Amino acid sequence: MSELIQNEFQFAENQYKYLMKAIPEDKMPQSYKASEGKVITKDISWWCSGFYPGSLWMIYEQTKDPDIRKEAERTLSLIEPNKTFTRDHDLGFMMFCSFGNAYRITKDPKYKEIILTSAESLSTRFRPGMQAILSWDKMADFKGPVIIDNMMNLEMLVWASQNGGNKKTEEIAIAHANTTIKNHFRPDYSSYHVIDYDVNTGKVLGKKTFQGYADSSAWARGQGWALYGYTMMYRFTKDEKYLNQARNIAKFILNNPTLPEDKIPYWDFNDPKIPNVPRDASAAAIISSALLELGQYTKGDEKKNYVETAQQMLINLSGEKYHAKLGENGGFILMHSTGGLPLNSEIDVPLIYADYYFLEALKRYKDWYL
């Protein structure tokens, strides 16, 4: 694993130099359209805008390449205006995956200030009536939508509170996590994608999906967000209910009869057309990173199961089936992710956040298990 990890970061450094050349100065890379040989890019307010700079910082941390750092710093300055963004819940993805890694590596106080400001901005989405952060504003189909993905954005709120920011942001994160435990999960610990609330009273109006196969199905990436989110909440609070939630979610994922032998999930655990449906490498990357952290809080055979499964995922993601060759795949590392299949969006393509969580999982394995 030591050699694999070293090779992967060296590959990432070289591969991202192709990606760097393929994007306009004012946009962030998102995916790649092979039929047109074109990197798909997005404006800085897109929810994924933090993953590219965050990946660059993780690569720089391992390889110390000055060109990678220069690009990381350039893209941070590009997305800095997002620190006052309040139009949806994705500020943690945008600003903590990027500036959080930058601050962790450099300890530059200006990065910390940007994180604290971003946490304040995100906290404006909290609705006391429903004791949760509103993911999106009212839409045709949803009055008060809260998506399971939102668990990931709590990390910035708690970190900010514990690192000189407003104590209120941690209270908001805990309230949101508790509300989500109450309403988002089925008896088998699989998660709905969207819970629709009455914003004023917190009454549940519907349990639905936006990106999964069906309202009642277990969308694979959503299960990854849930596992990662509750493991992370336990890290900060040491509240046993979060650890137990994470362990039960892990049990659902790892014992699922539709989880393939190579442990790279199909895009939705309940698609009736399995095995003739797309995989989601991004879900595997997120789950592997989460399992490695969950292994830090467990013992014996349970820990061994989490770490060995994560290791198997990383080895397979590094293999020919899911991994790009140098200079191919638009400059992205992983292939075969699925963004929104029902929306006919980003199906069987590279995605920037698949790379990000893959690199994070490799770093975690190196830091904790070598």
Side-chain angles (χ1 to χ4, degrees), residues 126-295:
F126 185 69
R127 300 294 181 266
M130 63 184 200
Q131 284 294 290
I133 295 162
L134 192 63
S135 294
W136 307 317
D137 292 336
K138 187 176 175 181
M139 305 158 72
D141 298 337
F142 305 113
K143 290 189 168 59
V146 174
I147 60 176
I148 192 62
D149 320 36
N150 207 336
M151 285 300 302
M152 302 293 285
N153 294 300
L154 306 184
E155 183 171 11
M156 181 169 72
L157 294 178
V158 189
W159 186 92
S161 177
Q162 294 185 6
N163 286 273
N166 191 333
K167 292 295 171 209
K168 180 187 71 176
T169 62
E170 181 171 355
E171 291 164 15
I172 286 172
I174 289 168
H176 183 98
N178 293 345
T179 299
T180 300
I181 282 185
K182 195 167 85 180
N183 297 320
H184 249 92
F185 292 90
R186 308 179 185 101
D188 64 0
Y189 290 93
S190 65
S191 164
Y192 291 95
H193 182 206
V194 190
I195 303 296
D196 195 20
Y197 291 96
D198 181 309
V199 175
N200 298 313
T201 67
K203 181 186 174 188
V204 173
L205 304 176
K207 299 189 173 192
K208 303 177 182 179
T209 196
F210 188 70
Q211 284 167 276
Y213 174 77
D215 291 344
S216 59
S217 74
W219 173 52
R221 193 162 68 251
Q223 312 316 303
W225 295 143
L227 175 64
Y228 191 116
Y230 282 101
T231 306
M232 172 270 297
M233 285 300 292
Y234 177 72
R235 179 208 315 158
F236 282 113
T237 66
K238 294 298 178 269
D239 186 328
E240 290 288 329
K241 76 167 173 284
Y242 298 146
L243 180 59
N244 290 333
Q245 189 73 10
R247 291 160 94 173
N248 282 314
I249 297 164
K251 202 178 292 180
F252 170 81
I253 293 169
L254 300 185
N255 298 337
N256 198 289
T258 69
L259 184 67
E261 204 175 318
D262 68 1
K263 309 297 187 200
I264 313 300
Y266 295 103
W267 78 282
D268 190 300
F269 285 101
N270 298 105
D271 189 327
K273 295 191 286 297
I274 286 171
N276 303 310
V277 298
R279 300 293 188 99
D280 187 3
S282 77
I286 295 156
I287 291 165
S288 65
S289 189
L291 288 172
L292 290 171
E293 179 164 17
L294 192 52

